[in-house]
């Protein structure tokens, strides 16, 4: 009977791992919440609200998807928002989580590498109450 319990434990563990993996891969169609733009606009105002570290290493990502397409001085919304969507949508599942610092971390690096005006994506890339629709599934 002990071996049956051990096998059941293994099956439960495998089920939980598969559930976790499938939820992360299936969520690429998740829109990017409108709330993440507050991280860009109000980045310095939440100092006393401790958040968990982001599980994605945004420092090591390639930002040329955005910086090669979104250029000033006019920063055309179609080019900038399309590039932002292409870059950010694969990470919608973590960017939409208000318990972590992923959105503010991502915007820090976008602005660092692109030298964009504060709030650029927050003002140009909103598509309504649901936020930004994700049409891109993964990076090329």
């Amino acid at each position: 009977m002990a071996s049956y319990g051990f096998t059941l434990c293994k099956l439960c563990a495998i089920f939980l791992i598969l559930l976790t993996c499938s939820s992360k891969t299936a969520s690429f169609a998740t829109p990017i919440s409108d709330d993440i733009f507050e991280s860009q606009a109000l980045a310095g105002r939440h100092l006393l609200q401790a958040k968990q570290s982001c599980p994605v290493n945004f420092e090591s990502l390639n930002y040329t998807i955005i910086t090669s397409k979104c250029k000033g001085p006019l920063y055309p919304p179609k080019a900038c928002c399309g590039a932002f969507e292409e870059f950010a949508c694969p990470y919608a599942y973590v960017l939409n989580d208000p318990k972590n610092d992923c959105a503010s971390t991502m915007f820090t690096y976008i602005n660092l590498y692109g030298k964009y005006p504060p709030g650029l994506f927050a003002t140009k890339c909103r598509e309504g109450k649901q936020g930004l629709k994700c049409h891109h599934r993964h990076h090329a």
Side-chain angles (χ1 to χ4, degrees):
M1 184 113 177
S3 65
Y4 175 74
F6 184 69
T7 304
L8 186 59
C9 286
K10 281 185 179 178
L11 289 174
C12 287
I14 291 170
F15 175 75
L16 289 174
I17 291 169
L18 291 174
L19 183 65
T20 302
C21 292
S22 68
S23 69
K24 288 182 180 175
T25 57
S27 65
F28 286 132
T30 302
I32 296 177
S33 170
D34 196 42
D35 295 338
I36 73 153
F37 293 115
E38 284 187 29
S39 293
Q40 182 184 21
L42 306 172
R45 296 188 186 175
H46 300 291
L47 294 176
L48 298 176
Q49 298 174 352
K51 293 190 175 196
Q52 298 171 355
S53 293
C54 185
V56 174
N57 184 359
F58 280 101
E59 181 180 6
S60 67
L61 296 180
N62 184 350
Y63 288 84
T64 57
I65 293 168
I66 296 174
T67 59
S68 66
K69 296 177 183 177
C70 184
K71 298 189 179 283
L74 299 178
Y75 303 104
K78 187 173 183 177
C80 291
C81 296
F84 176 76
E85 178 186 316
E86 187 176 346
F87 178 82
C89 281
Y91 308 104
Y93 67 99
V94 293
L95 292 172
N96 289 334
D97 185 351
K99 295 176 194 148
N100 68 43
D101 65 354
C102 292
S104 60
T105 301
M106 178 191 71
F107 281 120
T108 297
Y109 286 107
I110 286 174
N111 292 329
L112 176 70
Y113 295 124
K115 307 217 182 330
Y116 297 111
L120 173 73
F121 298 99
T123 56
K124 293 192 181 263
C125 301
R126 293 184 182 223
E127 292 181 331
K129 293 179 184 178
Q130 292 296 316
L132 184 64
K133 293 177 185 169
C134 287
H135 306 284
H136 299 283
R137 293 197 171 266
H138 54 78
H139 293 144

